[in-house]
Amino acid sequence: MTEHGGDAGAVSRTPRSRLYDYVDAPRPDQRAASGPEAAASPTAERARSDFAALLGEFRRTAVLVPLDADEEGLLTGDFGGVRWIYAFSGEQALARFALARGEGDREWTYQRWLGARLLDAGVPAVGVPCGVALDVGSEGEGVVFPPVHGVVPDAVAVDAETETGDVK
């Protein structure tokens, strides 16, 4: 997986993910310290609420996590300086992914993980900035859970503050 499909000119045409709106928005504790001018718009608040509901549902749901071809680890891909663990809501979504990769003829071994376990234990075990990509290859249905505060443990969140108060 390459960041821009191998086309260096595609950088300027790459749309910004809506998840950046969640990451860039001040957290409630930051807003209180910054005053009323830092309050998020109703649209941003709604988006944050919708994402929180989606994250909660993901954490409570068992997902399929394919193993790599050697069956030694979870199947991952690197994109944007982040390693993404691939997870799927069901066998149909996994099959669409396999077909999109041109690997529909091989047997795919997978494990069933609870979303919370994947975010709280699987992501930190990777050892590099890591998130979860759910239903990759399912047009319009995929979602990513990035390695940020509130999604993954603070110890591995790329936007978490360090002990000195600096952002990682």
Side-chain angles (χ1 to χ4, degrees):
M1 179 182 246
T2 61
E3 186 164 332
H4 301 291
D7 180 9
V11 174
S12 62
R13 294 184 306 243
T14 303
R16 179 178 153 138
S17 169
R18 286 184 32 210
L19 288 174
Y20 281 104
D21 296 335
Y22 306 125
V23 174
D24 292 343
R27 294 191 305 261
D29 59 322
Q30 293 171 324
R31 264 188 263 124
S34 301
E37 67 277 0
S41 71
T43 303
E45 287 296 327
R46 172 65 187 212
R48 197 170 12 267
S49 175
D50 289 349
F51 183 75
L54 182 64
L55 176 62
E57 182 66 24
F58 176 76
R59 292 183 66 81
R60 293 184 297 275
T61 303
V63 293
L64 309 181
V65 182
L67 301 180
D68 61 18
D70 299 327
E71 297 185 18
E72 294 179 7
L74 305 180
L75 185 65
T76 62
D78 293 334
F79 182 80
V82 175
R83 181 152 303 150
W84 297 95
I85 298 171
Y86 296 131
F88 299 92
S89 57
E91 289 180 344
Q92 289 181 337
L94 177 55
R96 283 190 295 272
F97 175 75
L99 291 171
R101 288 174 58 114
E103 298 180 31
D105 57 339
R106 80 170 176 92
E107 184 175 327
W108 285 72
T109 304
Y110 60 82
Q111 297 176 345
R112 220 174 267 283
W113 285 62
L114 187 62
R117 181 173 169 237
L118 192 56
L119 291 171
D120 296 343
V123 166
V126 173
V128 298
C130 182
V132 175
L134 178 66
D135 289 343
V136 174
S138 297
E139 190 172 325
E141 297 177 24
V143 65
V144 295
F145 297 99
V148 296
H149 172 78
V151 176
V152 299
D154 285 345
V156 296
V158 296
D159 67 336
E161 292 186 13
T162 63
E163 290 180 17
T164 61
D166 297 331
V167 175
K168 283 196 228 176

